[in-house]
Amino acid sequence: MMTPLWIVGALVLLFASLTSARLPDGRLHANMPPMLTIPQATSPEGPVTSRNGTTIPPYNTTYYFNQLIDHNNPSLGTFVQRYWHTWEFYEPGGPVILFTPGEVNADGYDGYLTNGTINGRIAQQQNGATIVLEHRFYGYSNPYNNLSVASLQVHTIQQAIDDLVYFAYNVDLPMPGGNHVTPAEAPWILIGGSYSGALTSFTVVNQPDVFRAAYASSAVVESIVDYWGYFEPIREYMPQNCSNDVQAVIAYIDETFISGTTEEIDAIKTLFNMNLTHLDDFAGALRNNLWDWQSLQPDSGPDMQFFQFCDALEVKDGVSAPIEGWGLDYALNAWGTYWADTYYYLICGDYSAEECLGSYDPTQSYYTDISINNAARSWEWIVCNYMGFLQDGAPLDQPTIVTRLIQPIYDEASEESRQS
Ligand SMILES: *[C@@H]1O[C@H](CO)[C@@H](O)[C@H](O)[C@H]1NC(C)=O
Ligand SMILES: *[C@@H]1O[C@H](CO)[C@@H](O)[C@H](O)[C@H]1NC(C)=O
Ligand SMILES: *[C@@H]1O[C@H](CO)[C@@H](O)[C@H](O)[C@H]1NC(C)=O
Ligand SMILES: *[C@@H]1O[C@H](CO)[C@@H](O)[C@H](O)[C@H]1NC(C)=O
Ligand SMILES: *[C@@H]1O[C@H](CO)[C@@H](O)[C@H](O)[C@H]1NC(C)=O
Ligand SMILES: *[C@@H]1O[C@H](CO)[C@@H](O)[C@H](O)[C@H]1NC(C)=O
């Protein structure tokens, strides 16, 4: 029986590798969604034995490939792209299985070389070699030594597709015969999940003759800019008393922020003990309690942050609210108290509300930090230019658990500040 204990969780939020991370969960800013990358998988340590008994390098050995900076202009030269590789199961004639973890530093993903993952299982069954390739602009695979707007001009999905193709045709794999396994000489299989699953799909459509087969897991191939629907399964499947109360609180906050008096607005700020200048920053911040839903695991149990939030709103003196909830007054006070006493610190630590949740100051490091190995910045570039998925309030004719003060223009404005 396979017990891949070394696979670190399913759907983990991967933050450990962000060097410029500063908020407790590693985000640079808490009014943007947490990143959801595919799970890390580390591998067993030590030397590996190939099919014919040869001792070969450990899975975590890092290799380097000279990748083109700009596939439209090869004269710009190359940068170093990191990869990991094993020929544990390889026999001449077998396939080469290529995988990128996508929008993340690829350290700690070498488990995707092994038979603890489907990649390695395919290799084991088909006598293949496996590769984990770090995506350009993540980790230490960078065309330039910073993430400035000038540098990010070559951070496009087309360049990422072309990287996969150029790698396949030009890599000299560190294994016997590794210089004779191009797609013209051996079958290549491309695998990805989530964004890298989308990239896998985009690649086989855009470059149909390179990979013999491809496997796109949870591939998010459709870009949706105004993605209020992100919150719909949460609204529908969360405890319904909690859903109803959250809707009531959000409706009240929106109404007050749009047409309430200064006193009414300040009363809400006081209740949450959070004095943000911009009301859309304030209302948008409350999305954090709902984003916690995406870290739910099948076996996560009742102590998950999301359920603690609902318990805070719905359990009064040990009694749960009926399906309609306790109503606005109780829920508003309960949410404010929970936010002020418990939750704010979890997302913002010791940072001020403006530093943690304010989006209007273009001098914030969130906008100005262009150091490499900052997956959040590199990913937001792709979100803004290609993927969308801005997670905002529902249209007026729909129930909403998220403020309607947040519309795509809000998240786009944050992006534009970073890009100017
Ligand atoms: C590989 O793992 C071993 C054992 O944990 C460690 O000593 C070594 O530094 C690692 N090598 C790389 C290149 O990360
Ligand atoms: C996976 O590969 C290891 C060697 O790396 C081997 O010992 C193990 O039996 C394989 N697991 C399965 C389920 O085949
Ligand atoms: C950032 O990289 C670009 C190349 O894209 C370079 O021209 C520029 O000088 C670098 N900026 C900093 C601040 O290092
Ligand atoms: C194992 O296989 C590789 C590739 O076919 C070959 O280069 C190597 O010499 C073999 N080693 C042994 C000990 O047979
Ligand atoms: C919030 O801060 C502003 C300016 O810093 C101040 O004028 C206002 O009174 C504060 N409001 C509350 C409710 O603390
Ligand atoms: C009400 O909320 C409590 C606490 O979160 C939850 O356990 C319960 O299932 C909810 N009941 C209904 C009917 O939604």
Side-chain angles (χ1 to χ4, degrees):
M1 199 182 91
M2 183 178 59
T3 311
L5 288 176
W6 39 270
I7 293 184
V8 187
L11 292 177
V12 276
L13 304 178
L14 182 80
F15 295 124
S17 58
L18 306 182
T19 51
S20 44
R22 50 184 205 106
L23 299 180
D25 70 0
R27 272 180 296 173
L28 301 169
H29 190 261
N31 241 321
M32 295 300 275
M35 287 180 69
L36 187 68
T37 51
I38 57 181
Q40 266 187 315
T42 51
S43 61
E45 290 173 7
V48 175
T49 306
S50 78
R51 281 268 164 89
N52 68 2
T54 308
T55 298
I56 62 177
Y59 300 114
N60 72 346
T61 309
T62 310
Y63 300 102
Y64 302 93
F65 176 71
N66 294 321
Q67 181 61 268
L68 291 179
I69 291 171
D70 182 353
H71 293 277
N72 301 320
N73 185 1
S75 71
L76 290 179
T78 60
F79 69 97
V80 170
Q81 188 171 25
R82 300 197 300 175
Y83 71 99
W84 292 260
H85 156 73
T86 191
W87 55 284
E88 175 180 12
F89 302 117
Y90 183 75
E91 292 178 27
V96 181
I97 296 150
L98 177 62
F99 165 83
T100 174
E103 72 281 25
V104 70
N105 179 320
D107 278 324
Y109 282 83
D110 48 310
Y112 287 89
L113 299 175
T114 75
N115 63 1
T117 60
I118 199 163
N119 309 25
R121 281 302 180 92
I122 294 169
Q124 186 176 7
Q125 186 187 310
Q126 304 295 332
N127 314 324
T130 50
I131 298 167
V132 171
L133 179 65
E134 191 167 62
H135 190 294
R136 65 166 55 208
F137 285 102
Y138 296 96
Y140 296 99
S141 296
N142 295 281
Y144 299 107
N145 69 0
N146 65 55
L147 303 179
S148 70
V149 170
S151 302
L152 290 168
Q153 297 308 306
V154 289
H155 188 23
T156 69
I157 290 180
Q158 186 64 55
Q159 295 279 0
I161 291 170
D162 294 345
D163 283 351
L164 299 173
V165 173
Y166 186 81
F167 180 90
Y169 277 107
N170 292 281
V171 71
D172 182 356
L173 285 178
M175 67 177 201
N179 57 345
H180 282 293
V181 285
T182 68
E185 298 158 294
W188 280 62
I189 299 171
L190 184 61
I191 297 182
S194 194
Y195 158 69
S196 81
L199 182 64
T200 296
S201 300
F202 299 156
T203 300
V204 297
V205 171
N206 184 256
Q207 301 283 328
D209 299 324
V210 180
F211 295 93
R212 191 73 62 85
Y215 175 49
S217 177
S218 303
V220 285
V221 292
E222 186 184 1
S223 295
I224 302 170
V225 175
D226 185 1
Y227 193 22
W228 60 274
Y230 170 88
F231 292 106
E232 280 298 281
I234 307 175
R235 185 182 64 76
E236 286 178 34
Y237 295 106
M238 68 197 277
Q240 286 303 289
N241 46 16
C242 192
S243 178
N244 288 324
D245 276 338
V246 167
Q247 290 175 54
V249 171
I250 291 300
Y252 174 75
I253 289 179
D254 277 6
E255 186 190 312
T256 306
F257 283 1
I258 290 165
S259 57
T261 63
T262 307
E263 288 70 30
E264 285 165 340
I265 292 168
D266 281 352
I268 293 172
K269 291 183 176 181
T270 303
L271 197 54
F272 284 77
N273 190 27
M274 187 167 70
N275 190 2
L276 280 165
T277 306
H278 296 275
L279 298 177
D280 50 2
D281 285 339
F282 188 110
L286 305 185
R287 287 178 293 178
N288 279 282
N289 294 116
L290 305 164
W291 280 325
D292 285 335
W293 176 269
Q294 78 174 28
S295 57
L296 290 182
Q297 321 247 327
D299 60 352
S300 56
D303 59 339
M304 291 298 294
Q305 201 59 52
F306 184 89
F307 292 118
Q308 290 183 33
F309 164 68
C310 279
D311 288 352
L313 268 59
E314 302 307 324
V315 181
K316 179 173 24 170
D317 302 327
V319 178
S320 283
I323 192 161
E324 57 271 22
W326 295 120
L328 173 63
D329 289 347
Y330 185 83
L332 178 65
N333 273 283
W335 195 343
T337 303
Y338 174 72
W339 185 275
D341 293 353
T342 304
Y343 194 72
Y344 178 86
Y345 187 78
L346 297 180
I347 58 166
C348 294
D350 292 323
Y351 290 94
S352 74
E354 290 294 351
E355 287 172 309
C356 178
L357 294 154
S359 65
Y360 283 77
D361 176 2
T363 67
Q364 275 171 290
S365 66
Y366 165 60
Y367 295 121
T368 57
D369 182 356
I370 59 167
S371 51
I372 60 162
N373 193 27
N374 178 353
R377 181 177 178 87
S378 298
W379 174 239
E380 282 172 28
W381 176 267
I382 293 294
V383 164
C384 189
N385 289 297
Y386 303 100
M387 298 305 267
F389 304 136
L390 305 178
Q391 298 166 13
D392 53 17
L396 274 172
D397 59 352
Q398 301 286 335
T400 191
I401 54 173
V402 162
T403 176
R404 297 185 217 273
L405 295 178
I406 300 289
Q407 293 300 329
I409 191 70
Y410 175 89
D411 293 323
E412 283 168 358
S414 298
E415 274 308 310
E416 275 154 22
S417 305
R418 312 184 85 192
Q419 293 176 17
S420 58

